[in-house]
Amino acid sequence: MSIILGEKTTDNVFGAVWLAALILTYEKKVIQKSDTIFFDQVDIQKLAKLLCTKTVQSARISQWCNGDHPNSSYNYLRANGSKRRLTQIGEFNNSKEYPDHLLKAEDEIFEIKENGKKVKYGELFEWYCSIYSKVTNLPVSNDPDSTLEDLGDQDDISMEGLQEDEIKNILANYLNNHGWQTQIAMGKIHGIDIDAFKGKDRWIIEVKGCGSRNAMRVNYFLAILGETLQRMSDKNAKYSIALPDMQQYRNLWDRLPRLTALFVNKDKQIEELT
């Protein structure tokens, strides 16, 4: 490498993966003047291990931080075959594209060997926001294993529906007009998207926006189901998901199967629940 890492580390495994991808991208684009933006997963993992005080497993790069994977938790990376690149701001509707408050702006991340310049986190993050995220026409996924486009319409569709915050505002007005008191998590605020109360009634609503590609909408749809399931701790509450009125989302909703669960124990006994 053309840099010397500083001593600053984090205990945020996912944040370390994002930071590793950012450092590799900065090194290639700024220091080495290279057009390379996709990296082997093992290289991201190796660097993330040096940045993190916890174990960084390969699945963090292949799946959990890969926004093109249907079961991802964060949208920090994009896939192109087996390689990964850093997500630009806005590629996933500003949803979980980078970690908030990962490090302090004055933290020194690395030193450039050639000139001894020390690059701080604030400078690195500013480059990510103002330079890297403004680059146009970066390649996106062509990994057949990273998406589930066959669950929706096959042709890519531009952003023709409502954004997430637009839906939240529409729903908030609707609920308020019908006597509900609402708590709304706008933008990057964590928590329940819409938590509504009326008397003893409670209505919890998770929201996703239109996205810009079919694969992204599939990811959104799978994610909102998982997020809602994790929220379902209040047995007396009503739970809903809210999506733009787009045909692909309607198709995905129509394909939700009627499932039963088979619980299998070590004694080879099987119990089916409906």
Side-chain angles (χ1 to χ4, degrees):
M1 296 183 71
S2 54
I3 63 172
I4 302 172
L5 285 181
E7 298 180 355
K8 192 61 183 180
T9 57
T10 176
D11 61 359
N12 182 336
V13 175
F14 300 106
V17 169
W18 176 84
L19 183 57
L22 174 57
I23 292 173
L24 289 171
T25 305
Y26 184 94
E27 180 186 28
K28 287 294 184 182
K29 299 291 289 182
V30 178
I31 302 174
Q32 299 178 0
K33 309 298 182 183
S34 169
D35 292 330
T36 300
I37 58 170
F38 280 95
F39 302 94
D40 291 332
Q41 296 181 45
V42 65
D43 291 334
I44 298 175
Q45 182 185 14
K46 287 179 179 178
L47 183 53
K49 286 181 177 180
L50 297 176
L51 297 167
C52 191
T53 58
K54 296 181 179 179
T55 302
V56 181
Q57 299 174 338
S58 60
R60 308 302 187 195
I61 296 92
S62 63
Q63 174 180 339
W64 300 112
C65 290
N66 173 17
D68 292 306
H69 195 287
N71 296 321
S72 64
S73 297
Y74 299 92
N75 299 318
Y76 295 165
L77 305 174
R78 300 301 307 267
N80 193 329
S82 62
K83 293 182 179 292
R84 300 289 182 266
R85 73 159 169 85
L86 185 67
T87 294
Q88 291 178 299
I89 296 175
E91 286 193 275
F92 289 92
N93 199 26
N94 297 307
S95 175
K96 299 180 179 180
E97 295 166 341
Y98 60 86
D100 292 325
H101 312 298
L102 180 63
L103 297 171
K104 296 179 180 179
E106 62 271 19
D107 288 336
E108 293 183 357
I109 306 302
F110 59 81
E111 177 183 325
I112 300 174
K113 291 181 179 179
E114 183 179 11
N115 56 21
K117 177 184 177 182
K118 296 182 178 179
V119 178
K120 298 181 179 180
Y121 181 71
E123 178 183 346
L124 196 60
F125 188 75
E126 178 62 25
W127 178 84
Y128 168 69
C129 296
S130 302
I131 305 298
Y132 177 76
S133 291
K134 302 299 183 183
V135 177
T136 58
N137 300 321
L138 287 187
V140 294
S141 171
N142 66 0
D143 183 359
D145 296 324
S146 68
T147 65
L148 291 175
E149 291 170 304
D150 57 316
L151 288 180
D153 298 329
Q154 293 300 311
D155 296 328
D156 262 6
I157 305 171
S158 60
M159 295 173 65
E160 60 185 45
L162 295 166
Q163 302 293 329
E164 183 173 318
D165 280 355
E166 291 179 300
I167 296 175
K168 290 176 183 177
N169 283 325
I170 292 172
L171 289 173
N173 289 333
Y174 170 84
L175 291 166
N176 291 336
N177 290 336
H178 286 78
W180 292 85
Q181 300 295 317
T182 56
Q183 298 175 2
I184 313 294
M186 300 295 289
K188 300 174 185 177
I189 298 175
H190 297 292
I192 298 171
D193 287 337
I194 299 178
D195 202 354
F197 299 87
K198 182 166 67 173
K200 295 182 179 180
D201 296 328
R202 186 184 185 191
W203 195 353
I204 293 174
I205 305 172
E206 290 297 321
V207 182
K208 290 296 181 187
C210 64
S212 60
R213 300 183 304 112
N214 286 338
M216 188 184 300
R217 295 181 193 118
V218 173
N219 288 347
Y220 281 177
F221 187 79
L222 296 174
I224 199 173
L225 295 178
E227 290 167 4
T228 302
L229 182 63
Q230 293 179 10
R231 302 283 187 206
M232 297 178 75
S233 58
D234 186 345
K235 295 182 179 180
N236 297 317
K238 176 182 178 180
Y239 294 87
S240 297
I241 64 173
L243 302 161
D245 191 356
M246 303 175 70
Q247 189 59 50
Q248 185 181 4
Y249 279 135
R250 286 183 174 269
N251 291 346
L252 290 165
W253 178 257
D254 288 341
R255 294 194 183 194
L256 278 180
R258 297 182 180 276
L259 294 176
T260 66
L262 299 174
F263 291 94
V264 184
N265 64 28
K266 293 182 179 180
D267 295 326
K268 301 180 181 179
Q269 295 174 326
I270 301 172
E271 180 182 6
E272 183 177 10
L273 299 179
T274 58

